[in-house]
């Protein structure tokens, strides 16, 4: 993958014999390296670019999830969806009370309880939540699932999938309650990660075996930075499918389940 070339063409003078050193280095990273300066101050173009990136990150945190548009984008997958909400009533509450974002509100619990017939179980519950970047879920969750579902269908043992949960004001641990209420063996939470100054739309995937309220982070597997400029959809789908299959076969997740999908080697070879 090639990082986007910098907008600022003004570079510090390279050492003798190393023409355009900083330009060459910038092709390999989106990090802010070799920034130009005027005296002791940062160059104007670099400072303006930093302020723009900061504004985009702030906007991503406060942007609302468009549930109807997300549900429409998921229609071609042929899976039912259910709209849910965390116990955080609005965005300010969500940001100030992380604990409320980890639990469903009353109506959502009732809605899920009605979906789970007595004795009915699912192999996998998929949860799509806004997290700290709704635009990440909006943009990247549908194509990721489009790449994932055919991989799940290739296995010898079919997967019984629960309706996809679309959650507003949700955090990672909320998936444990969703999976528990749906009697799911596994839950995979697709959630917008905390925006950075180089990526306001990074999608994170969190996998938990035997989800139930009270699970801790050490019992989850995480795949981070899913987006075209980070971990491509196909690679993320391959890694997630492998982890799902291994978790079901071994009955565990988190620190007891190491990623042996081969995508690390694939990245190095590419």
């Amino acid at each position: 993958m090639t990082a986007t070339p910098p907008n600022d063409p003004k570079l510090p003078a390279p050492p003798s014999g190393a023409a355009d050193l900083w330009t060459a280095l910038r092709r390999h990273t989106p990090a802010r390296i070799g920034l130009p300066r005027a005296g002791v101050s940062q160059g104007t173009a670099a400072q303006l670019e930093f302020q723009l990136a900061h504004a985009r990150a702030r906007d991503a945190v406060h942007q609302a999830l468009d549930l109807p548009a997300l549900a429409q984008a998921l229609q071609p997958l042929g899976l039912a969806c259910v709209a849910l909400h965390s116990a955080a009533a609005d965005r300010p509450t969500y940001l100030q009370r992380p604990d409320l974002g980890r639990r469903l509100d009353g109506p959502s619990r009732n809605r899920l309880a009605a979906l789970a017939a007595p004795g009915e179980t699912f192999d996998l519950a998929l949860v799509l939540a806004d997290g700290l970047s709704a635009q990440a879920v909006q943009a990247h969750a549908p194509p990721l699932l489009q790449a994932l579902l055919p991989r799940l269908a290739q296995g010898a043992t079919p997967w019984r999938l629960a309706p996809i949960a679309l959650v507003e004001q949700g955090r990672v641990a909320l998936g444990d309650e969703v999976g528990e209420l749906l009697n799911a063996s596994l839950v995979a939470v697709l959630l917008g990660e905390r925006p950075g100054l180089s990526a306001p739309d990074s999608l994170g995937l969190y996998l938990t075996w035997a989800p139930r309220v009270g699970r801790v982070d050490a019992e989850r597997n995480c795949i981070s930075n899913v987006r075209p400029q980070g971990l491509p959809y196909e690679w993320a789908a391959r890694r997630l499918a492998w982890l799902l299959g291994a978790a079901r076969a071994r009955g565990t997740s988190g620190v007891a389940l190491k990623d042996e999908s081969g995508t690390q080697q694939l990245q190095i070879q590419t």
Side-chain angles (χ1 to χ4, degrees), residues 118-264:
E120 185 179 24
T121 61
F122 295 100
D123 297 311
L124 174 63
L126 294 167
V127 178
L128 277 57
D130 44 11
L132 289 171
S133 177
Q135 62 180 274
V137 179
Q138 206 92 42
H140 307 315
L144 173 67
L145 291 180
Q146 189 173 19
L148 172 67
L149 294 181
R151 290 186 175 275
L152 297 182
Q154 292 172 2
T157 305
W159 289 81
R160 178 166 170 75
L161 301 181
I164 299 178
L166 309 181
V167 185
E168 292 181 275
Q169 317 299 356
R171 295 186 182 268
V172 175
L174 183 140
D176 298 334
E177 187 172 16
V178 173
E180 184 176 16
L181 289 171
L182 290 174
N183 298 318
S185 300
L186 279 159
V187 65
V189 179
L190 284 61
L191 176 134
E193 297 179 314
R194 180 180 289 104
L197 293 175
S198 61
D201 62 340
S202 179
L203 182 69
L205 317 178
Y206 298 84
L207 162 71
T208 310
W209 169 258
R212 63 175 184 271
V213 174
R215 286 293 196 192
V216 298
D217 289 342
E219 297 172 296
R220 315 185 199 285
N221 291 87
C222 175
I223 303 171
S224 186
N225 196 30
V226 179
R227 58 192 184 100
Q229 299 82 9
L231 185 66
Y233 304 135
E234 287 294 335
W235 292 6
R238 174 179 173 177
R239 183 175 296 181
L240 180 57
W242 188 93
L243 286 170
L244 288 170
R248 180 164 70 168
R250 304 176 190 180
T252 190
S253 61
V255 296
L257 179 63
K258 303 303 180 184
D259 181 5
E260 301 171 4
S261 61
T263 51
Q264 293 287 0

Side-chain angles (χ1 to χ4, degrees), residues 36-126:
R37 66 180 186 177
V40 296
S41 301
Q42 188 171 249
T44 300
Q47 177 65 14
L48 292 176
E49 194 277 334
F50 178 89
Q51 292 176 345
L52 176 60
H54 186 259
R56 286 172 174 165
R58 289 177 59 90
D59 288 346
V61 169
H62 293 283
Q63 181 178 335
L65 182 63
D66 189 340
L67 281 184
L70 182 57
Q72 185 175 7
L74 295 171
Q75 279 184 352
L77 302 179
L79 295 177
C81 296
V82 55
L84 306 174
H85 204 290
S86 77
D90 50 39
R91 201 61 177 174
T93 303
Y94 172 83
L95 295 174
Q96 296 169 20
R97 291 286 305 275
D99 57 314
L100 296 181
R102 300 184 183 112
R103 297 299 301 270
L104 293 167
D105 63 10
S108 295
R109 285 196 297 271
N110 295 336
R111 201 170 300 135
L112 283 184
L115 287 177
E120 185 179 24
T121 61
F122 295 100
D123 297 311
L124 174 63
L126 294 167

